[in-house]
Amino acid sequence: MNLRFINNYSSFLVKKSVRRKIEVILFVILLSSLVTGCSQTESVDKNVVAIQTVLEHEFNAPDKEYIRMKNDPSNMTIVDQNGLVSAPEEDNELEIYLEDNFRPYFTDFGYSGKVLFLTLHSPADDNGYQITVDKINVEPVDGRPRDYDFTVHVTYQKDGGDKMKAEITGLATCPEEGKIGKIRYNKDHFLFGEILRGK
């Protein structure tokens, strides 16, 4: 009887040892999958990053450096009283500024003059407004993988007066990864511009 008890007891210990090893192995696998899963970052949509970056430049206004360069005659095309046109040097200060701040986010076609940049900066500066981006929402359009709807939430203030809120919406098309081909603003952009112009 003693031999049988010892045999059963040793069998029990072996089974318990095997079970313990399996539990440890499963625990290590579970722990490593959790650590690996938590350490992976979400993939970044380069189109969303491009759209947000351009909209931040557009709606944090006025950019005093841009205004200075825009008003510098060496950066302007001038038509004199006789109709003679004097164009600014290629690669002038303003061109370089726009190239550095916008070119990386646009396709060749999108950057080739089809998109107007910083359209609210001059009216904001001329009329004493300060515009600050609060938040930008960019969402892909269902069924149209290249198109993104956006809403820019801004706070604007005239000469230290009351702060007001506005939303500007639109659509951006990204035919290449991380590159905007076209941005179209909805009517609220035009109406916001009219407010800044004092109309």
Side-chain angles (χ1 to χ4, degrees), residues 52-60 97 101-102 118 121:
Q52 286 178 331
T53 301
V54 167
L55 293 174
E56 285 173 8
H57 281 299
E58 182 66 36
F59 289 101
N60 281 310
Y97 176 85
N101 286 289
F102 292 97
L118 307 174
H121 288 248

Side-chain angles (χ1 to χ4, degrees), residues 8-58:
N8 283 340
Y9 185 71
S10 65
S11 175
F12 171 76
L13 288 177
V14 169
K15 286 179 184 176
K16 188 175 179 182
S17 173
V18 169
R19 189 174 64 206
R20 176 69 69 197
K21 286 179 183 178
I22 290 172
E23 287 174 348
V24 168
I25 290 171
L26 288 174
F27 177 76
V28 169
I29 290 171
L30 178 64
L31 184 63
S32 66
S33 67
L34 283 173
V35 169
T36 304
C38 292
S39 67
Q40 292 176 349
T41 58
E42 288 185 35
S43 63
V44 175
D45 186 332
K46 292 180 182 178
N47 295 339
V48 171
V49 171
I51 294 164
Q52 286 178 331
T53 301
V54 167
L55 293 174
E56 285 173 8
H57 281 299
E58 182 66 36

Side-chain angles (χ1 to χ4, degrees), residues 127-130 155-164:
N127 295 299
Y129 281 98
Q130 184 66 41
T155 298
Y156 65 100
Q157 181 179 25
K158 180 173 179 154
D159 296 325
D162 292 339
K163 291 183 177 183
M164 308 289 284

